[in-house]
Structure formats: structure tokens, C-alpha cells
Amino acid sequence: MANDSYRVDLDRLDEVVKKLNNVLKDMQSTSGKAKSGTHLPEGALGKGFEEEGELRKTHDELKGFIEQKVLNKLERLIDDLQKKTSKTHGAYQDQEQNTSNAMNKGHTSSQNKYS
């Protein structure tokens, strides 16, 4: 009898892949908002004070940092994890099919021997 402690739940792996895909979609939406929804045009903070240019420059630098160092890295990490999980799911699925085929082949040949 097979030991269930070594069994891989392919449905759970598939669920993880789907959830990672959803997280990736959400991240891409957030990334789009960070790029286009956070523009700070000249004069938006007021006019006629010397810190206005410095505030906009700092805003642009922070916006770039968030886009490049946070969001892009998270997107790549999640995408990589999703691809690896999907590949693992496929490998286990293939192995399960190969094992099932081998067992069926052995069962068929033993039936023929003793029939």
C-alpha cells in the first residue's frame, strides 16, 4: 500500500498558481497606478515659494524608487514563484501519470499471464 505522506496534492498546487496569478494582476494594477496616478505637476503644491521645486523633485525620486526598487522587484519575484510552482505542478502531474501508466501496464501483463 502506498504511503500517503509522500503524496502531492496537485489541486493545492494549482490553487497556489491561480492565487499567484491574481496577486500578479493586482501588482500590475498597483504598478500602473503608481506610474500614472501619482504625477505631481508644476504648481500643484502652490507657487512662489522656493521649496516647491525641491518637493516635486523629491516626489519624482521617491516615485521612481517605488516603481523600480519595490513594485518591479515584487512583480518579478511573484512571477518567478508562479512559474516555478506551475512547473513543479506539471512535473508532479507527469510523474503521477507515468506511475499510473506503469502500474496499469504491470497489472495488465500479470492478468494475461494468469488468465
Side-chain angles (χ1 to χ4, degrees), residues 79-114:
D79 184 53
D80 184 51
L81 184 56
Q82 182 273 335
K83 287 176 182 172
K84 287 178 179 176
T85 304
S86 184
K87 187 176 180 179
T88 300
H89 176 274
Y92 276 113
Q93 194 172 33
D94 290 348
Q95 185 58 46
E96 194 173 87
Q97 185 63 44
N98 290 342
T99 302
S100 177
N101 289 344
M103 290 178 75
N104 287 338
K105 196 181 261 188
H107 181 56
T108 304
S109 62
S110 66
Q111 275 186 334
N112 292 340
K113 267 186 186 178
Y114 302 109

mmCIF file of all heavy atoms in Angstrom, residues 79-114:
data_model
loop_
_atom_site.group_PDB
_atom_site.id
_atom_site.type_symbol
_atom_site.label_atom_id
_atom_site.label_comp_id
_atom_site.label_asym_id
_atom_site.label_seq_id
_atom_site.Cartn_x
_atom_site.Cartn_y
_atom_site.Cartn_z
ATOM 1 N N ASP A 79 6.168 36.625 -10.192
ATOM 2 C CA ASP A 79 6.139 35.956 -11.494
ATOM 3 C C ASP A 79 7.042 34.721 -11.481
ATOM 4 O O ASP A 79 6.651 33.651 -11.955
ATOM 5 C CB ASP A 79 6.570 36.927 -12.592
ATOM 6 C CG ASP A 79 6.472 36.329 -13.978
ATOM 7 O OD1 ASP A 79 5.390 35.819 -14.337
ATOM 8 O OD2 ASP A 79 7.488 36.374 -14.712
ATOM 9 N N ASP A 80 8.231 34.859 -10.920
ATOM 10 C CA ASP A 80 9.164 33.734 -10.827
ATOM 11 C C ASP A 80 8.581 32.605 -9.973
ATOM 12 O O ASP A 80 8.635 31.433 -10.349
ATOM 13 C CB ASP A 80 10.493 34.221 -10.237
ATOM 14 C CG ASP A 80 11.550 33.136 -10.206
ATOM 15 O OD1 ASP A 80 11.788 32.494 -11.259
ATOM 16 O OD2 ASP A 80 12.156 32.933 -9.128
ATOM 17 N N LEU A 81 7.994 32.962 -8.851
ATOM 18 C CA LEU A 81 7.385 31.964 -7.973
ATOM 19 C C LEU A 81 6.223 31.264 -8.670
ATOM 20 O O LEU A 81 6.084 30.038 -8.584
ATOM 21 C CB LEU A 81 6.909 32.630 -6.684
ATOM 22 C CG LEU A 81 6.337 31.732 -5.598
ATOM 23 C CD1 LEU A 81 7.330 30.650 -5.194
ATOM 24 C CD2 LEU A 81 5.942 32.565 -4.387
ATOM 25 N N GLN A 82 5.411 32.020 -9.395
ATOM 26 C CA GLN A 82 4.285 31.441 -10.125
ATOM 27 C C GLN A 82 4.775 30.458 -11.181
ATOM 28 O O GLN A 82 4.251 29.358 -11.314
ATOM 29 C CB GLN A 82 3.442 32.553 -10.757
ATOM 30 C CG GLN A 82 2.219 32.081 -11.499
ATOM 31 C CD GLN A 82 2.496 31.731 -12.951
ATOM 32 O OE1 GLN A 82 3.423 32.225 -13.575
ATOM 33 N NE2 GLN A 82 1.689 30.857 -13.492
ATOM 34 N N LYS A 83 5.804 30.841 -11.941
ATOM 35 C CA LYS A 83 6.346 29.964 -12.983
ATOM 36 C C LYS A 83 6.934 28.691 -12.383
ATOM 37 O O LYS A 83 6.725 27.593 -12.911
ATOM 38 C CB LYS A 83 7.400 30.701 -13.801
ATOM 39 C CG LYS A 83 6.810 31.736 -14.745
ATOM 40 C CD LYS A 83 7.894 32.507 -15.462
ATOM 41 C CE LYS A 83 7.278 33.573 -16.365
ATOM 42 N NZ LYS A 83 8.305 34.464 -16.922
ATOM 43 N N LYS A 84 7.667 28.820 -11.296
ATOM 44 C CA LYS A 84 8.273 27.651 -10.663
ATOM 45 C C LYS A 84 7.215 26.730 -10.064
ATOM 46 O O LYS A 84 7.335 25.503 -10.152
ATOM 47 C CB LYS A 84 9.272 28.086 -9.586
ATOM 48 C CG LYS A 84 10.550 28.658 -10.167
ATOM 49 C CD LYS A 84 11.500 29.137 -9.099
ATOM 50 C CE LYS A 84 12.771 29.684 -9.723
ATOM 51 N NZ LYS A 84 13.688 30.245 -8.712
ATOM 52 N N THR A 85 6.182 27.307 -9.478
ATOM 53 C CA THR A 85 5.102 26.492 -8.914
ATOM 54 C C THR A 85 4.364 25.764 -10.018
ATOM 55 O O THR A 85 4.032 24.579 -9.895
ATOM 56 C CB THR A 85 4.135 27.370 -8.095
ATOM 57 O OG1 THR A 85 4.875 28.072 -7.092
ATOM 58 C CG2 THR A 85 3.062 26.527 -7.424
ATOM 59 N N SER A 86 4.125 26.453 -11.118
ATOM 60 C CA SER A 86 3.445 25.841 -12.262
ATOM 61 C C SER A 86 4.282 24.703 -12.844
ATOM 62 O O SER A 86 3.763 23.630 -13.168
ATOM 63 C CB SER A 86 3.176 26.904 -13.324
ATOM 64 O OG SER A 86 2.453 26.382 -14.388
ATOM 65 N N LYS A 87 5.586 24.932 -12.948
ATOM 66 C CA LYS A 87 6.492 23.899 -13.466
ATOM 67 C C LYS A 87 6.525 22.689 -12.530
ATOM 68 O O LYS A 87 6.506 21.540 -12.986
ATOM 69 C CB LYS A 87 7.899 24.491 -13.620
ATOM 70 C CG LYS A 87 8.880 23.585 -14.293
ATOM 71 C CD LYS A 87 10.211 24.294 -14.494
ATOM 72 C CE LYS A 87 11.203 23.398 -15.174
ATOM 73 N NZ LYS A 87 12.493 24.071 -15.406
ATOM 74 N N THR A 88 6.544 22.942 -11.236
ATOM 75 C CA THR A 88 6.524 21.861 -10.255
ATOM 76 C C THR A 88 5.231 21.063 -10.360
ATOM 77 O O THR A 88 5.243 19.830 -10.345
ATOM 78 C CB THR A 88 6.677 22.427 -8.822
ATOM 79 O OG1 THR A 88 7.923 23.125 -8.751
ATOM 80 C CG2 THR A 88 6.637 21.334 -7.777
ATOM 81 N N HIS A 89 4.125 21.770 -10.504
ATOM 82 C CA HIS A 89 2.818 21.117 -10.669
ATOM 83 C C HIS A 89 2.855 20.197 -11.883
ATOM 84 O O HIS A 89 2.432 19.039 -11.816
ATOM 85 C CB HIS A 89 1.723 22.172 -10.825
ATOM 86 C CG HIS A 89 0.367 21.606 -11.088
ATOM 87 N ND1 HIS A 89 -0.069 21.298 -12.360
ATOM 88 C CD2 HIS A 89 -0.644 21.293 -10.254
ATOM 89 C CE1 HIS A 89 -1.287 20.822 -12.288
ATOM 90 N NE2 HIS A 89 -1.669 20.807 -11.018
ATOM 91 N N GLY A 90 3.366 20.698 -12.997
ATOM 92 C CA GLY A 90 3.448 19.899 -14.223
ATOM 93 C C GLY A 90 4.325 18.675 -14.056
ATOM 94 O O GLY A 90 3.986 17.584 -14.527
ATOM 95 N N ALA A 91 5.451 18.842 -13.379
ATOM 96 C CA ALA A 91 6.367 17.715 -13.171
ATOM 97 C C ALA A 91 5.725 16.629 -12.308
ATOM 98 O O ALA A 91 5.827 15.434 -12.625
ATOM 99 C CB ALA A 91 7.667 18.208 -12.524
ATOM 100 N N TYR A 92 5.067 17.025 -11.237
ATOM 101 C CA TYR A 92 4.389 16.042 -10.395
ATOM 102 C C TYR A 92 3.238 15.374 -11.141
ATOM 103 O O TYR A 92 3.010 14.175 -11.018
ATOM 104 C CB TYR A 92 3.870 16.684 -9.107
ATOM 105 C CG TYR A 92 4.908 16.764 -8.020
ATOM 106 C CD1 TYR A 92 5.392 17.990 -7.594
ATOM 107 C CD2 TYR A 92 5.394 15.618 -7.406
ATOM 108 C CE1 TYR A 92 6.342 18.079 -6.584
ATOM 109 C CE2 TYR A 92 6.347 15.688 -6.404
ATOM 110 C CZ TYR A 92 6.815 16.927 -5.995
ATOM 111 O OH TYR A 92 7.756 16.994 -5.016
ATOM 112 N N GLN A 93 2.521 16.151 -11.926
ATOM 113 C CA GLN A 93 1.413 15.608 -12.698
ATOM 114 C C GLN A 93 1.919 14.580 -13.713
ATOM 115 O O GLN A 93 1.339 13.504 -13.855
ATOM 116 C CB GLN A 93 0.677 16.749 -13.402
ATOM 117 C CG GLN A 93 -0.666 16.382 -13.949
ATOM 118 C CD GLN A 93 -1.405 17.617 -14.448
ATOM 119 O OE1 GLN A 93 -0.786 18.565 -14.932
ATOM 120 N NE2 GLN A 93 -2.708 17.609 -14.325
ATOM 121 N N ASP A 94 3.007 14.914 -14.390
ATOM 122 C CA ASP A 94 3.599 13.971 -15.349
ATOM 123 C C ASP A 94 4.057 12.700 -14.657
ATOM 124 O O ASP A 94 3.839 11.590 -15.152
ATOM 125 C CB ASP A 94 4.787 14.614 -16.073
ATOM 126 C CG ASP A 94 4.379 15.711 -17.039
ATOM 127 O OD1 ASP A 94 3.169 15.843 -17.340
ATOM 128 O OD2 ASP A 94 5.284 16.453 -17.490
ATOM 129 N N GLN A 95 4.709 12.845 -13.502
ATOM 130 C CA GLN A 95 5.201 11.675 -12.769
ATOM 131 C C GLN A 95 4.043 10.809 -12.293
ATOM 132 O O GLN A 95 4.107 9.585 -12.354
ATOM 133 C CB GLN A 95 6.076 12.090 -11.583
ATOM 134 C CG GLN A 95 6.709 10.922 -10.865
ATOM 135 C CD GLN A 95 7.575 10.076 -11.781
ATOM 136 O OE1 GLN A 95 8.372 10.586 -12.547
ATOM 137 N NE2 GLN A 95 7.407 8.764 -11.719
ATOM 138 N N GLU A 96 2.987 11.461 -11.837
ATOM 139 C CA GLU A 96 1.810 10.705 -11.397
ATOM 140 C C GLU A 96 1.217 9.908 -12.561
ATOM 141 O O GLU A 96 0.843 8.747 -12.404
ATOM 142 C CB GLU A 96 0.772 11.676 -10.824
ATOM 143 C CG GLU A 96 -0.324 11.004 -10.058
ATOM 144 C CD GLU A 96 -1.221 12.016 -9.366
ATOM 145 O OE1 GLU A 96 -2.181 12.483 -10.004
ATOM 146 O OE2 GLU A 96 -0.946 12.333 -8.195
ATOM 147 N N GLN A 97 1.169 10.515 -13.733
ATOM 148 C CA GLN A 97 0.644 9.832 -14.918
ATOM 149 C C GLN A 97 1.556 8.678 -15.323
ATOM 150 O O GLN A 97 1.087 7.587 -15.638
ATOM 151 C CB GLN A 97 0.495 10.818 -16.084
ATOM 152 C CG GLN A 97 -0.153 10.219 -17.315
ATOM 153 C CD GLN A 97 -1.587 9.774 -17.062
ATOM 154 O OE1 GLN A 97 -2.363 10.476 -16.448
ATOM 155 N NE2 GLN A 97 -1.931 8.595 -17.524
ATOM 156 N N ASN A 98 2.863 8.897 -15.291
ATOM 157 C CA ASN A 98 3.819 7.838 -15.629
ATOM 158 C C ASN A 98 3.704 6.656 -14.667
ATOM 159 O O ASN A 98 3.734 5.498 -15.081
ATOM 160 C CB ASN A 98 5.251 8.379 -15.615
ATOM 161 C CG ASN A 98 5.528 9.318 -16.750
ATOM 162 O OD1 ASN A 98 4.808 9.353 -17.747
ATOM 163 N ND2 ASN A 98 6.570 10.131 -16.608
ATOM 164 N N THR A 99 3.562 6.959 -13.387
ATOM 165 C CA THR A 99 3.421 5.902 -12.384
ATOM 166 C C THR A 99 2.128 5.131 -12.596
ATOM 167 O O THR A 99 2.116 3.893 -12.553
ATOM 168 C CB THR A 99 3.454 6.511 -10.963
ATOM 169 O OG1 THR A 99 4.683 7.212 -10.797
ATOM 170 C CG2 THR A 99 3.319 5.431 -9.902
ATOM 171 N N SER A 100 1.066 5.856 -12.864
ATOM 172 C CA SER A 100 -0.225 5.206 -13.114
ATOM 173 C C SER A 100 -0.154 4.315 -14.351
ATOM 174 O O SER A 100 -0.638 3.177 -14.337
ATOM 175 C CB SER A 100 -1.301 6.274 -13.293
ATOM 176 O OG SER A 100 -2.537 5.700 -13.602
ATOM 177 N N ASN A 101 0.469 4.811 -15.414
ATOM 178 C CA ASN A 101 0.623 4.016 -16.638
ATOM 179 C C ASN A 101 1.453 2.760 -16.380
ATOM 180 O O ASN A 101 1.126 1.682 -16.864
ATOM 181 C CB ASN A 101 1.256 4.842 -17.751
ATOM 182 C CG ASN A 101 0.328 5.903 -18.291
ATOM 183 O OD1 ASN A 101 -0.884 5.870 -18.078
ATOM 184 N ND2 ASN A 101 0.895 6.884 -18.987
ATOM 185 N N ALA A 102 2.531 2.915 -15.629
ATOM 186 C CA ALA A 102 3.399 1.772 -15.323
ATOM 187 C C ALA A 102 2.657 0.732 -14.492
ATOM 188 O O ALA A 102 2.779 -0.470 -14.739
ATOM 189 C CB ALA A 102 4.651 2.243 -14.591
ATOM 190 N N MET A 103 1.861 1.194 -13.540
ATOM 191 C CA MET A 103 1.112 0.260 -12.704
ATOM 192 C C MET A 103 0.042 -0.448 -13.536
ATOM 193 O O MET A 103 -0.172 -1.647 -13.376
ATOM 194 C CB MET A 103 0.490 0.994 -11.520
ATOM 195 C CG MET A 103 1.526 1.453 -10.507
ATOM 196 S SD MET A 103 0.813 2.363 -9.147
ATOM 197 C CE MET A 103 0.061 1.018 -8.239
ATOM 198 N N ASN A 104 -0.625 0.280 -14.405
ATOM 199 C CA ASN A 104 -1.646 -0.336 -15.257
ATOM 200 C C ASN A 104 -1.034 -1.339 -16.222
ATOM 201 O O ASN A 104 -1.596 -2.398 -16.473
ATOM 202 C CB ASN A 104 -2.419 0.736 -16.035
ATOM 203 C CG ASN A 104 -3.374 1.509 -15.152
ATOM 204 O OD1 ASN A 104 -3.777 1.034 -14.101
ATOM 205 N ND2 ASN A 104 -3.713 2.705 -15.575
ATOM 206 N N LYS A 105 0.133 -0.995 -16.753
ATOM 207 C CA LYS A 105 0.824 -1.901 -17.669
ATOM 208 C C LYS A 105 1.215 -3.178 -16.938
ATOM 209 O O LYS A 105 1.031 -4.270 -17.445
ATOM 210 C CB LYS A 105 2.068 -1.206 -18.239
ATOM 211 C CG LYS A 105 2.639 -1.891 -19.453
ATOM 212 C CD LYS A 105 3.867 -1.152 -19.931
ATOM 213 C CE LYS A 105 3.489 -0.246 -21.079
ATOM 214 N NZ LYS A 105 4.647 0.356 -21.718
ATOM 215 N N GLY A 106 1.726 -3.057 -15.738
ATOM 216 C CA GLY A 106 2.111 -4.233 -14.941
ATOM 217 C C GLY A 106 0.910 -5.053 -14.547
ATOM 218 O O GLY A 106 0.956 -6.279 -14.565
ATOM 219 N N HIS A 107 -0.185 -4.399 -14.241
ATOM 220 C CA HIS A 107 -1.423 -5.103 -13.864
ATOM 221 C C HIS A 107 -1.981 -5.861 -15.056
ATOM 222 O O HIS A 107 -2.384 -7.007 -14.946
ATOM 223 C CB HIS A 107 -2.442 -4.092 -13.332
ATOM 224 C CG HIS A 107 -3.735 -4.695 -12.885
ATOM 225 N ND1 HIS A 107 -3.803 -5.683 -11.941
ATOM 226 C CD2 HIS A 107 -5.012 -4.452 -13.277
ATOM 227 C CE1 HIS A 107 -5.058 -6.030 -11.759
ATOM 228 N NE2 HIS A 107 -5.807 -5.283 -12.553
ATOM 229 N N THR A 108 -1.946 -5.263 -16.239
ATOM 230 C CA THR A 108 -2.464 -5.902 -17.446
ATOM 231 C C THR A 108 -1.642 -7.122 -17.800
ATOM 232 O O THR A 108 -2.173 -8.181 -18.125
ATOM 233 C CB THR A 108 -2.463 -4.899 -18.622
ATOM 234 O OG1 THR A 108 -3.224 -3.753 -18.236
ATOM 235 C CG2 THR A 108 -3.043 -5.490 -19.861
ATOM 236 N N SER A 109 -0.306 -6.988 -17.744
ATOM 237 C CA SER A 109 0.543 -8.120 -18.132
ATOM 238 C C SER A 109 0.407 -9.274 -17.138
ATOM 239 O O SER A 109 0.456 -10.424 -17.521
ATOM 240 C CB SER A 109 2.002 -7.690 -18.264
ATOM 241 O OG SER A 109 2.475 -7.222 -17.009
ATOM 242 N N SER A 110 0.213 -8.987 -15.854
ATOM 243 C CA SER A 110 0.068 -10.070 -14.887
ATOM 244 C C SER A 110 -1.287 -10.751 -15.053
ATOM 245 O O SER A 110 -1.403 -11.932 -14.817
ATOM 246 C CB SER A 110 0.250 -9.554 -13.464
ATOM 247 O OG SER A 110 -0.794 -8.671 -13.114
ATOM 248 N N GLN A 111 -2.300 -10.006 -15.463
ATOM 249 C CA GLN A 111 -3.593 -10.628 -15.718
ATOM 250 C C GLN A 111 -3.505 -11.583 -16.883
ATOM 251 O O GLN A 111 -4.068 -12.666 -16.843
ATOM 252 C CB GLN A 111 -4.651 -9.548 -16.050
ATOM 253 C CG GLN A 111 -5.300 -8.937 -14.844
ATOM 254 C CD GLN A 111 -6.427 -8.007 -15.257
ATOM 255 O OE1 GLN A 111 -6.434 -7.464 -16.353
ATOM 256 N NE2 GLN A 111 -7.369 -7.817 -14.349
ATOM 257 N N ASN A 112 -2.787 -11.200 -17.928
ATOM 258 C CA ASN A 112 -2.652 -12.057 -19.097
ATOM 259 C C ASN A 112 -1.904 -13.344 -18.781
ATOM 260 O O ASN A 112 -2.193 -14.387 -19.317
ATOM 261 C CB ASN A 112 -1.936 -11.314 -20.242
ATOM 262 C CG ASN A 112 -2.799 -10.201 -20.797
ATOM 263 O OD1 ASN A 112 -4.017 -10.195 -20.615
ATOM 264 N ND2 ASN A 112 -2.161 -9.229 -21.435
ATOM 265 N N LYS A 113 -0.918 -13.272 -17.899
ATOM 266 C CA LYS A 113 -0.125 -14.438 -17.519
ATOM 267 C C LYS A 113 -0.974 -15.506 -16.859
ATOM 268 O O LYS A 113 -0.768 -16.690 -17.064
ATOM 269 C CB LYS A 113 0.991 -14.038 -16.551
ATOM 270 C CG LYS A 113 2.288 -13.733 -17.188
ATOM 271 C CD LYS A 113 3.300 -13.513 -16.077
ATOM 272 C CE LYS A 113 4.608 -13.051 -16.652
ATOM 273 N NZ LYS A 113 5.590 -12.792 -15.632
ATOM 274 N N TYR A 114 -1.872 -15.049 -16.011
ATOM 275 C CA TYR A 114 -2.600 -16.000 -15.176
ATOM 276 C C TYR A 114 -4.025 -16.270 -15.653
ATOM 277 O O TYR A 114 -4.750 -16.974 -15.010
ATOM 278 C CB TYR A 114 -2.612 -15.521 -13.728
ATOM 279 C CG TYR A 114 -1.226 -15.334 -13.196
ATOM 280 C CD1 TYR A 114 -0.704 -14.080 -12.950
ATOM 281 C CD2 TYR A 114 -0.408 -16.443 -12.968
ATOM 282 C CE1 TYR A 114 0.587 -13.918 -12.475
ATOM 283 C CE2 TYR A 114 0.883 -16.284 -12.491
ATOM 284 C CZ TYR A 114 1.362 -15.025 -12.248
ATOM 285 O OH TYR A 114 2.624 -14.866 -11.785
#
